[in-house]
Amino acid sequence: MNWMASFLRSFLTKPIGWLVKVKSIPSDLENELGIDKTRPIVYLLQTKSFTDSIALEKSTAFLGLPSPRKKLALVDHEHKRSYYLNRPQNIFTRKVKPTTIEDNFTEMFQYHRQYDDLDVQLIPVFISWGRSAGKGKSGWAQLIASKASPNWLRKSFIVLFFGRDNFVSYSKPVSTRQMASLSGSDQQIAHKLIRVARTHFQRKRQVLSGPTLLERQELYNSILGARGVKQAIEDEVANKNISPQKVRKQAKKYVDEIAADYREGLVRLGERLLARIWHRIYDGIEVKHAERVRELAANGHEIIYVPCHKSHMDYLLLTYVIYQEGLVTPHIAAGINLNFWPAGPIFRRCGAFFLRRSFVGNKLYSSIFREYLELLFNKGYSVKYFPEGGRSRTGRLLPPKTGMLAMTLQAVTKGVNRPVSVVPVYLGYEHVMEVKSYQKELKGKGKKKESNTQVFSAIRKLKNYGHGYVNFGEPISLHKFLDKQVPDWRDDISDDEKKPTWLTPTVNVLANDIMARINKNAALNGTALLALCLLSSKTHVMSKDDLINAIDDYLSLFKANPYSADATFPTQDAEYLVERTLALNRFQQSEDKYGLMVSPKQDNAVLLTFYRNNILHMFALPSLIMAAAFAHRNLTRTALLSLVEQLYPILKREFFMYFSHDEVVVYIEELVIYLKTCGMLVQNGKYLAPVEPSSPKFHSAWLLSRSMQETWQRYAVVLSVLESEKIIARAQLERQSTDVAERLSSLFGMHSPEFYDKNVLASFVNALRENKHVHSREDGSLEFSESSLVLKHAIMPLVWPEIVQHLERL
């Protein structure tokens, strides 16, 4: 029979191999799972299956692991490389029979007692065909969908339909030496290992496929039968004198308007289409720190993804990456503006649920939406929403909208059954397709309503957009967060819908922490670095050699002193990075007898501010050091730290920086040491000074000092208006500051509309109030103070003299 099995294997391996496309998770086994390829390895699988073994063989060959078909030589004996918990179901009885694995492991542990230095890595491997979560009711699709141990006939259909959607998921290795050292007999230890393995594989299936999908009627019953919704319906009947049947019918319409209608088959099709699109428009998608999310999922956490929002591509890119990383695709909160045919129904079937821009004045809608969100959490669905509320038009993070976060915390306090963790996500691009429309909107042009025409126009214009970046941030456990912020929060839990008094300030803290963690995971990229350098240049033109040198200096700066341990930067050298970025055809090159020059394309300098702003927070502190050195010439360490003490709280508020007071002092000290070491700063006795113009590092130092110039100018404008008026209403301060900034923009060539954007100016005004630099009067107006004057005196030396002079005249 062995020769027959061998013949069938060799006969069927190639055709089945053509049907199977394997995705291995994770791809970096050594760093994420701690697998040592030089030590003995055996595999533990759920079911003994010919097709599973082919998938595993393809995966191990790609990853450089030993083949599961080859024997493992241990001392003087040969052992199987693969072990299985179950045999396939019987085709007639559907009964699953166990294998002899308990005897195999018992024998292995006995073998360990004979050889003290023997240690084998036992790697659990979960193999999934398709990602169907299943429904409450069975149908023909459920007969095909992958079960734990399907019979050979069902498995044939599974491979035929889902062979291109195969996931081979590896887990952390178990040391057989450590297992053998546990208390109990060898058979008891083997039995325990098998029991734990069965639970582990069940959890892995949950991680990949997610919870059972809700039937529509179950959805209606759960939401409309909730206490809060019932009360809202009663209030609507009483207040508007409408019949209960009519209100209930309206409530059902709200459920249909909001709720997703998730279809795994459409998600799978979408993944294949997106893979083609990404290969067409991006030359790579870099994903970092995904192991954080996998660990949360493996530990049974409810996961809430909170990414920044720069483009409509965000919806697709993050969902695609989550799917590729072997995780359940989340239900996605989308604006009601995206619910147009045919995009709306497609998004809804891919997991989107829709919300209106405002819930104000509609208690019934609000209660239904809140109940739907709580239902998702309690059923175990992962969720994704954008804390900024909308796409950033400037490239910098927007102040967070706290409505969804507030409802999330309320759901946690009402008793979600699992631990809940928020995962901040940084999304970055070397090119954003909407950037031109963003600039038009900043200049006052109305936002276009989303439509089919826009969708097809965007698809038609798809081209090489360079790299995309997805960095998963450090998760926030909401239960631990609440325990820290509001130790007695459990005492306020009640059945009514009244918000606890601590909710709003706690949500604000959480929102700012999330935004800081998003920026903590920022990705430096070629387009952003070129944009920063060119916009810092006085004429927006640089020689190619100077550009390469400057970027090389900045990459070295962040390699030596990274903004954070989670921030990422290119691994290529500066010359390669510049060449690759210029190949995207977003910049203009010209040549004279002295060499190549690089500049923005005609009228495109303003567009580059979006990409510069993606990374400007990372350059804020190095730029402040260099700007202070150039402004004061003889700058003492004490004076520099005093300047940081004054400005960092403002910068932290505006740019969502994560350093504490003590951390920022340490970081400044480290930056100063490095800037002196690399030659941008020099130490003259007790003074810090910029390097001489004859130094090869001068140009990099000069550009670095200018990269935050527009920020200092904006601060100077607001403080000058405030000093001039002494007492002024906040709205009037923002209007006058906008007028002055717009005038300066016209006179001195600050082409960026964000320079006089009222939202950016309002952010600075908020920072002034929060840091007590202005007095808030009882009528709400703001009063210039001694603290305002001190801050103004600190900022003015950093601003170009011609701007200072003009502000004084105004």
Side-chain angles (χ1 to χ4, degrees):
M1 292 299 291
N2 286 338
W3 70 267
M4 178 65 76
S6 179
F7 171 76
L8 286 174
R9 170 179 280 277
S10 60
F11 181 74
L12 295 174
T13 295
K14 192 165 278 188
I16 291 176
W18 289 334
L19 287 172
V20 176
K21 182 181 178 183
V22 173
K23 170 70 176 176
S24 301
I25 303 168
S27 56
D28 187 358
L29 300 178
E30 291 95 333
N31 290 328
E32 185 167 336
L33 301 181
I35 293 174
D36 186 348
K37 295 178 181 178
T38 64
R39 291 172 47 216
I41 289 174
V42 297
Y43 306 106
L44 175 60
L45 291 85
Q46 189 169 24
T47 304
K48 189 172 185 178
S49 163
F50 175 58
T51 50
D52 283 6
S53 66
I54 291 176
L56 179 59
E57 192 162 0
K58 292 184 73 169
S59 174
T60 54
F62 178 78
L63 295 171
L65 292 170
S67 169
R69 292 177 58 193
K70 292 183 179 178
K71 295 284 187 179
L72 173 64
L74 293 178
V75 193
D76 298 327
H77 296 75
E78 283 193 337
H79 295 261
K80 292 190 296 183
R81 184 79 70 172
S82 299
Y83 295 90
Y84 310 91
L85 295 181
N86 303 318
R87 299 181 187 278
Q89 286 180 336
N90 184 287
I91 194 169
F92 297 110
T93 65
R94 294 191 179 182
K95 187 176 181 180
V96 176
K97 292 182 179 180
T99 62
T100 59
I101 188 171
E102 187 169 331
D103 295 335
N104 296 141
F105 281 158
T106 300
E107 182 183 355
M108 182 179 288
F109 294 140
Q110 290 171 350
Y111 197 58
H112 276 62
R113 301 191 190 284
Q114 300 174 32
Y115 301 94
D116 293 337
D117 59 345
L118 182 61
D119 191 9
V120 177
Q121 298 173 97
L122 176 64
I123 303 176
V125 184
F126 180 75
I127 298 179
S128 172
W129 304 82
R131 307 279 288 275
S132 177
K135 294 185 177 181
K137 297 178 181 178
S138 61
W140 72 269
Q142 296 303 104
L143 294 175
I144 296 176
S146 177
K147 299 295 181 183
S149 301
N151 59 57
W152 66 266
L153 181 60
R154 175 181 281 179
K155 195 59 173 283
S156 300
F157 283 104
I158 288 171
V159 174
L160 184 63
F161 284 95
F162 300 112
R164 311 301 289 175
D165 197 37
N166 173 268
F167 288 82
V168 178
S169 180
Y170 298 86
S171 299
K172 289 183 178 180
V174 177
S175 166
T176 53
R177 166 59 53 194
Q178 291 180 0
M179 289 296 299
S181 65
L182 296 176
S183 60
S185 67
D186 293 332
Q187 187 173 12
Q188 287 173 327
I189 296 171
H191 183 74
K192 179 179 181 181
L193 176 61
I194 293 166
R195 189 176 69 250
V196 171
R198 292 189 188 281
T199 303
H200 173 77
F201 284 131
Q202 185 178 359
R203 182 170 288 176
K204 290 289 284 188
R205 181 174 297 281
Q206 183 85 352
V207 167
L208 272 165
S209 303
T212 302
L213 299 179
L214 282 169
E215 293 294 331
R216 209 66 181 173
Q217 192 57 49
E218 183 185 357
L219 179 69
Y220 293 139
N221 293 341
S222 298
I223 293 177
L224 301 182
R227 184 177 181 278
V229 174
K230 283 182 175 179
Q231 184 61 53
I233 290 174
E234 290 176 8
D235 292 345
E236 195 85 353
V237 169
N239 295 335
K240 295 185 178 179
N241 196 24
I242 306 174
S243 69
Q245 294 80 6
K246 191 172 182 180
V247 176
R248 191 172 177 82
K249 186 177 180 180
Q250 180 61 51
K252 194 173 180 181
K253 284 184 179 179
Y254 285 155
V255 174
D256 290 332
E257 177 188 315
I258 294 166
D261 186 18
Y262 186 85
R263 309 286 177 87
E264 189 271 337
L266 188 59
V267 172
R268 190 170 66 254
L269 175 63
E271 184 269 339
R272 294 180 187 176
L273 293 174
L274 285 176
R276 291 176 176 268
I277 293 174
W278 299 144
H279 287 309
R280 179 181 175 184
I281 66 175
Y282 296 117
D283 55 23
I285 297 173
E286 295 187 14
V287 181
K288 300 294 184 183
H289 316 312
E291 67 279 1
R292 291 170 164 167
V293 191
R294 274 195 288 271
E295 185 176 352
L296 290 176
N299 292 330
H301 283 238
E302 168 67 28
I303 300 173
I304 302 169
Y305 301 93
V306 281
C308 58
H309 201 7
K310 296 186 174 76
S311 168
H312 280 315
M313 283 292 184
D314 299 342
Y315 295 101
L316 305 176
L317 179 62
L318 182 54
T319 300
Y320 172 81
V321 166
I322 290 170
Y323 188 92
Q324 287 290 307
E325 292 297 327
L327 297 159
V328 182
T329 53
H331 281 53
I332 309 161
I336 196 69
N337 57 305
L338 294 178
N339 191 22
F340 60 89
W341 191 91
I346 293 173
F347 290 157
R348 195 182 294 277
R349 284 165 174 76
C350 289
F353 60 96
F354 295 95
L355 69 156
R356 299 179 180 183
R357 290 299 181 191
S358 174
F359 299 179
V360 176
N362 194 335
K363 184 180 177 182
L364 179 60
Y365 179 90
S366 177
S367 63
I368 288 173
F369 187 90
R370 186 167 57 247
E371 205 62 47
Y372 176 71
L373 195 63
E374 290 178 16
L375 180 65
L376 292 180
F377 294 155
N378 280 309
K379 289 292 183 180
Y381 299 109
S382 58
V383 172
K384 177 178 77 177
Y385 53 77
F386 297 98
E388 295 166 281
R391 291 167 294 158
S392 169
R393 268 63 176 172
T394 64
R396 63 172 69 215
L397 293 186
L398 299 174
K401 309 287 187 185
T402 57
M404 289 290 289
L405 285 173
M407 284 188 278
T408 299
L409 279 187
Q410 281 183 289
V412 170
T413 61
K414 288 175 72 173
V416 176
N417 297 325
R418 303 193 301 159
V420 181
S421 288
V422 170
V423 180
V425 186
Y426 177 87
L427 300 174
Y429 307 89
E430 287 192 300
H431 183 77
V432 171
M433 64 180 181
E434 304 103 319
V435 71
K436 287 187 179 180
S437 65
Y438 290 166
Q439 295 300 325
K440 290 176 183 177
E441 289 174 33
L442 287 171
K443 288 180 178 178
K445 189 174 181 179
K447 175 181 176 291
K448 283 186 178 181
K449 186 178 180 181
E450 283 76 8
S451 65
N452 293 325
T453 305
Q454 273 189 293
V455 172
F456 294 127
S457 175
I459 293 173
R460 182 175 55 83
K461 294 177 182 177
L462 291 178
K463 48 190 172 182
N464 185 6
Y465 285 169
H467 267 53
Y469 303 86
V470 181
N471 291 348
F472 293 95
E474 184 182 357
I476 303 170
S477 167
L478 291 187
H479 288 90
K480 291 180 180 178
F481 173 82
L482 284 171
D483 288 341
K484 182 179 179 181
Q485 295 292 325
V486 193
D488 58 349
W489 64 272
R490 290 177 178 83
D491 298 337
D492 285 345
I493 297 176
S494 62
D495 291 334
D496 60 34
E497 299 295 310
K498 187 178 179 181
K499 289 197 306 184
T501 55
W502 51 260
L503 183 65
T504 298
T506 304
V507 168
N508 290 337
V509 172
L510 176 62
N512 284 316
D513 189 11
I514 288 170
M515 305 311 284
R517 293 189 190 213
I518 290 174
N519 262 350
K520 194 176 179 182
N521 278 268
L524 287 177
N525 64 71
T527 300
L529 286 167
L530 262 70
L532 182 132
C533 291
L534 291 175
L535 292 174
S536 299
S537 173
K538 195 167 187 178
T539 59
H540 297 167
V541 181
M542 289 178 64
S543 76
K544 189 175 180 180
D545 288 341
D546 283 342
L547 187 59
I548 291 172
N549 289 336
I551 289 177
D552 184 54
D553 287 336
Y554 300 154
L555 289 177
S556 298
L557 168 66
F558 285 108
K559 286 175 184 176
N561 299 276
Y563 175 76
S564 76
D566 293 334
T568 59
F569 49 81
T571 55
Q572 307 92 344
D573 62 37
E575 184 173 2
Y576 175 88
L577 189 66
V578 170
E579 292 289 357
R580 194 190 66 79
T581 304
L582 292 177
L584 298 177
N585 200 29
R586 301 287 180 266
F587 298 88
Q588 182 172 294
Q589 296 185 72
S590 57
E591 188 173 10
D592 60 16
K593 62 182 180 180
Y594 299 106
L596 284 170
M597 293 181 291
V598 180
S599 61
K601 287 193 169 183
Q602 187 175 9
D603 299 326
N604 268 13
V606 63
L607 303 182
L608 296 184
T609 59
F610 182 93
Y611 303 104
R612 177 201 62 188
N613 289 348
N614 288 179
I615 62 169
L616 192 56
H617 65 284
M618 301 174 74
F619 282 82
L621 295 175
S623 178
L624 174 58
I625 294 170
M626 292 309 309
F630 274 103
H632 296 284
R633 291 293 169 176
N634 293 319
L635 178 70
T636 65
R637 173 184 176 276
T638 302
L640 175 61
L641 292 178
S642 175
L643 184 62
V644 171
E645 184 97 17
Q646 291 174 284
L647 293 184
Y648 178 67
I650 306 291
L651 295 173
K652 180 176 183 177
R653 173 67 172 76
E654 180 172 347
F655 290 96
F656 297 105
M657 299 173 77
Y658 75 94
F659 300 104
S660 66
H661 175 272
D662 292 340
E663 289 170 340
V664 80
V665 170
V666 172
Y667 188 56
I668 288 289
E669 297 273 20
E670 291 172 347
L671 286 172
V672 168
I673 291 170
Y674 179 80
L675 291 169
K676 289 192 295 183
T677 302
C678 77
M680 290 194 217
L681 276 179
V682 294
Q683 186 85 46
N684 295 328
K686 67 176 183 177
Y687 298 114
L688 292 169
V691 69
E692 292 297 322
S694 58
S695 168
K697 297 293 183 183
F698 176 81
H699 197 227
S700 296
W702 178 238
L703 287 176
L704 187 57
S705 74
R706 292 166 60 95
S707 60
M708 287 283 289
Q709 182 58 215
E710 287 183 11
T711 300
W712 311 137
Q713 291 171 5
R714 194 184 311 111
Y715 291 177
V717 165
V718 174
L719 290 169
S720 295
V721 171
L722 189 59
E723 183 182 28
S724 173
E725 299 294 334
K726 297 296 189 279
I727 298 174
I728 186 171
R730 174 174 170 165
Q732 186 182 351
L733 173 62
E734 291 174 6
R735 278 198 306 272
Q736 282 190 229
S737 298
T738 301
D739 293 341
V740 173
E742 195 165 356
R743 177 180 173 84
L744 291 177
S745 180
S746 300
L747 289 172
F748 298 101
M750 279 79 77
H751 299 294
S752 170
E754 71 136 11
F755 179 67
Y756 48 84
D757 180 62
K758 63 180 182 180
N759 293 321
V760 178
L761 289 165
S763 178
F764 177 57
V765 173
N766 281 335
L768 290 177
R769 292 179 64 232
E770 290 174 11
N771 288 280
K772 311 298 183 184
H773 287 301
V774 292
H775 291 154
S776 295
R777 296 164 63 89
E778 289 185 5
D779 61 359
S781 60
L782 304 176
E783 182 178 4
F784 192 73
S785 67
E786 185 65 29
S787 180
S788 312
L789 185 62
V790 171
L791 183 64
K792 181 172 180 281
H793 286 163
I795 288 171
M796 283 305 188
L798 306 177
V799 178
W800 292 344
E802 60 268 38
I803 301 287
V804 174
Q805 184 187 46
H806 195 79
L807 286 173
E808 288 175 352
R809 286 206 303 267
L810 282 176

